Amino acid sequence: MNTATKPDAKAVNQGVAPVTYGTGDRPPRGDYASARSDFTCNQCWERYTAEDHDLYRRLYERQWAQLPGLACDEFIEAVRHLGDPRRIPRFDELSEPLRKTTGWQIAAVPGLIPEEAFFALLAQRKFPVTGWLRRPEEFDYVVEPDVFHDLFGHVPLLFNPMFADYMQAYGAGGLKASRLQACEYLARLYWYTVEFGLIDTPAGLRAYGAGILSSAAELRYSVTSPEPQRLGFDLTRIMRTRYKIDSFQASYFVIETFQQLIAATAPDFAPYYEQVANASELAADERLATDRVF
Ligand code: PHE
Ligand code: FE
């Protein structure tokens, strides 16, 4: 999921609420009528056409080709778990090795889901993956996360034990943040780590965030362009920082190691939320004197 922590749920009958995307009124793509009350549904793999599988293959191959030198080793090592690149994986088949390796499972969802439902699934080690695939004319850019973003971007690192634990902790933390009215702060953490995170390695900066790893153009941009700023990971600084949903990021945050990320996010966030609520918000491109600049 890309932005599952952003949409607002609008209550309707049957317990299944549609989701609005970002700040607009546009209804989200996907068949929400088929969803269960936890927002999961069946993948309906048989409904993918030969053209869908071919488009997935082309997306996969383009992205795979640019991973060396731009993606972190942990990601490159794990992509093979996705299996045959020539067809969209069956979620239940892919869940088998995933369950054995880190205890995670893939749960099909119609598309973006409300944040509470999203957190609840993550807390149970279930990763929601959108069923639909973008149209051919969206080869370079799709506004909402589709099956390619969700699978290629997110699923490989769920095979990594450390990252797998982080994602579950995030889900549990999300349920708590909902009670503390702090979802916006936690969403920023998700955005700047899980979606757009960079890691500093002996070989140079590399991407580990799904939003960049699944993006045709932003992957190279995030790692090599002189335009954006790259700042050292700082938990409460990130919680104060707004982000862009319709353009490349103005700032990326860099972790040293996954251990650093786990250690920094292990403490109880409640005091941080209070601290952040009392501090000013920061624009996406803001620079502070205390920032560590890469
Ligand atoms: N430690 C956080 C809390 O107490 C939970 C969390 C862990 C959130 C990891 C995000 C990532 O709320
Ligand atoms: Fe995502």
Side-chain angles (χ1 to χ4, degrees):
M1 303 293 291
N2 212 6
T3 47
T5 46
K6 278 196 284 94
D8 305 312
K10 281 186 191 157
V12 286
N13 336 328
Q14 280 113 30
V16 176
V19 186
T20 55
Y21 180 60
T23 51
D25 303 321
R26 192 164 49 80
R29 264 160 92 166
D31 176 15
Y32 289 83
S34 65
R36 294 177 272 265
S37 60
D38 67 353
F39 278 88
T40 64
C41 62
N42 296 323
Q43 183 188 14
C44 301
W45 189 86
E46 295 71 22
R47 281 201 219 149
Y48 297 124
T49 63
E51 287 72 31
D52 290 334
H53 291 298
D54 190 61
L55 180 60
Y56 174 86
R57 176 188 61 78
R58 291 189 290 123
L59 287 161
Y60 188 117
E61 285 175 356
R62 171 174 65 184
Q63 224 45 29
W64 171 254
Q66 52 168 338
L67 296 181
L70 297 176
C72 67
D73 290 344
E74 290 85 348
F75 182 82
I76 295 179
E77 194 275 323
V79 178
R80 63 185 166 83
H81 290 297
L82 295 180
D84 188 347
R86 292 169 303 181
R87 60 181 186 93
I88 300 167
R90 285 183 191 265
F91 298 168
D92 47 0
E93 273 181 19
L94 189 49
S95 288
E96 284 303 307
L98 185 55
R99 200 192 327 250
K100 284 193 189 115
T101 312
T102 57
W104 276 79
Q105 273 168 265
I106 291 168
V109 289
L112 291 164
I113 62 174
E115 51 197 11
E116 289 250 9
F118 180 63
F119 296 143
L121 289 171
L122 294 185
Q124 302 168 69
R125 292 199 174 232
K126 290 183 185 159
F127 193 77
V129 173
T130 300
W132 58 266
L133 180 70
R134 69 193 68 185
R135 292 185 291 266
E137 57 273 25
E138 294 166 310
F139 188 60
D140 291 326
Y141 181 76
V142 61
V143 183
E144 290 174 51
D146 70 339
V147 61
F148 179 74
H149 164 79
D150 286 345
L151 272 181
F152 190 92
H154 288 284
V155 173
L157 282 181
L158 291 175
F159 281 88
N160 177 289
M162 233 182 318
F163 201 78
D165 286 349
Y166 176 66
M167 292 296 284
Q168 182 187 15
Y170 182 90
L175 295 172
K176 187 167 93 185
S178 303
R179 295 194 298 273
L180 297 173
Q181 323 269 288
C183 286
E184 181 68 20
Y185 307 144
L186 200 62
R188 290 172 180 162
L189 174 66
Y190 191 85
W191 192 264
Y192 285 116
T193 61
V194 178
E195 295 291 355
F196 293 93
L198 296 180
I199 183 165
D200 191 24
T201 79
L205 294 182
R206 296 290 185 267
Y208 72 89
I212 38 187
L213 287 163
S214 66
S215 164
E218 190 165 359
L219 175 53
R220 185 165 301 279
Y221 178 89
S222 66
V223 176
T224 68
S225 168
E227 217 172 295
Q229 52 178 2
R230 299 178 188 82
L231 308 173
F233 176 89
D234 175 335
L235 183 64
T236 50
R237 200 279 189 215
I238 287 175
M239 287 181 177
R240 292 171 60 194
T241 310
R242 288 195 289 263
Y243 52 77
K244 312 233 176 202
I245 63 161
D246 52 5
S247 67
F248 292 167
Q249 300 305 302
S251 301
Y252 299 93
F253 288 90
V254 181
I255 59 170
E256 306 280 330
T257 57
F258 288 115
Q259 285 92 329
Q260 177 203 14
L261 180 62
I262 308 278
T265 53
D268 179 5
F269 280 8
Y272 297 148
Y273 293 150
E274 259 183 66
Q275 200 182 312
V276 170
N278 290 316
S280 55
E281 283 199 328
L282 302 172
D285 61 356
E286 210 147 324
R287 171 84 61 94
L288 302 180
T290 44
D291 287 334
R292 172 174 174 208
V293 181
F294 282 78

